[in-house]
Amino acid sequence: MHKCIQHCKSILFADDTTLYITGKNIKTLFQHLKQDLTVLVDWFRANKLSLNLNKTNYTIFKPSNLRLNLEGLDLVCGDEKIARVEVIKFLGIYLDENLNWSFPVKSLYSKLSQSLYLLTNVKKTIPS
């Protein structure tokens, strides 16, 4: 699969595929990504695989002070628009578009709070 795309790099893990592309010109990035997506969809069809567009999304990593004009820059696969998200989960780690750690830390804090609450309540009912 990675040999059929020209502009993007791919990261494969189990049944997850991540494409990424870097550059300074957002319009050029979108053009290259659209070209590779078209090729990738054809590759999926040729190999009797399906692309779950409900789980497909993209983010644009950028400095927090940079404002992007994304008018007319939509990613479309077939007839469906691919959603842009501000936070993605990549191999269990949350990454936000500004690459700051506030969301991952909040997520970890929430999980630890839930676990601590559960352990606090369970210790009352289970003998030591």
Side-chain angles (χ1 to χ4, degrees):
M1 179 181 75
H2 66 277
K3 291 181 181 180
C4 71
I5 52 179
Q6 290 183 322
H7 307 288
C8 296
K9 303 274 192 257
S10 61
I11 298 172
L12 307 173
F13 184 78
D15 64 343
D16 284 340
T17 302
T18 301
L19 296 181
Y20 68 95
I21 187 169
T22 61
K24 295 185 186 262
N25 186 319
I26 193 75
K27 290 182 182 181
T28 304
L29 287 174
F30 268 78
Q31 288 171 347
H32 289 165
L33 188 54
K34 286 177 184 180
Q35 290 170 359
D36 281 355
L37 270 176
T38 301
V39 170
L40 195 59
V41 167
D42 290 342
W43 185 89
F44 271 89
R45 281 191 196 122
N47 288 283
K48 296 182 176 36
L49 296 170
S50 62
L51 179 61
N52 188 345
L53 290 173
N54 294 326
K55 292 184 176 181
T56 302
N57 52 49
Y58 75 97
T59 193
I60 300 171
F61 295 112
K62 60 179 185 54
S64 59
N65 61 349
L66 180 66
R67 302 288 176 240
L68 296 175
N69 180 8
L70 298 177
E71 278 186 45
L73 296 177
D74 292 327
L75 277 182
V76 179
C77 194
D79 295 335
E80 293 193 49
K81 185 177 174 182
I82 298 175
R84 180 173 177 227
V85 295
E86 292 181 6
V87 177
I88 59 166
K89 188 175 182 182
F90 179 68
L91 299 179
I93 299 171
Y94 289 98
L95 301 170
D96 78 346
E97 64 183 7
N98 300 319
L99 293 176
N100 79 35
W101 289 98
S102 62
F103 189 86
V105 168
K106 286 179 188 175
S107 175
L108 181 61
Y109 177 80
S110 174
K111 287 180 184 178
L112 289 173
S113 291
Q114 291 172 1
S115 298
L116 188 58
Y117 175 79
L118 182 67
L119 288 173
T120 301
N121 287 326
V122 168
K123 80 175 187 179
K124 298 174 186 173
T125 60
I126 297 177
S128 56

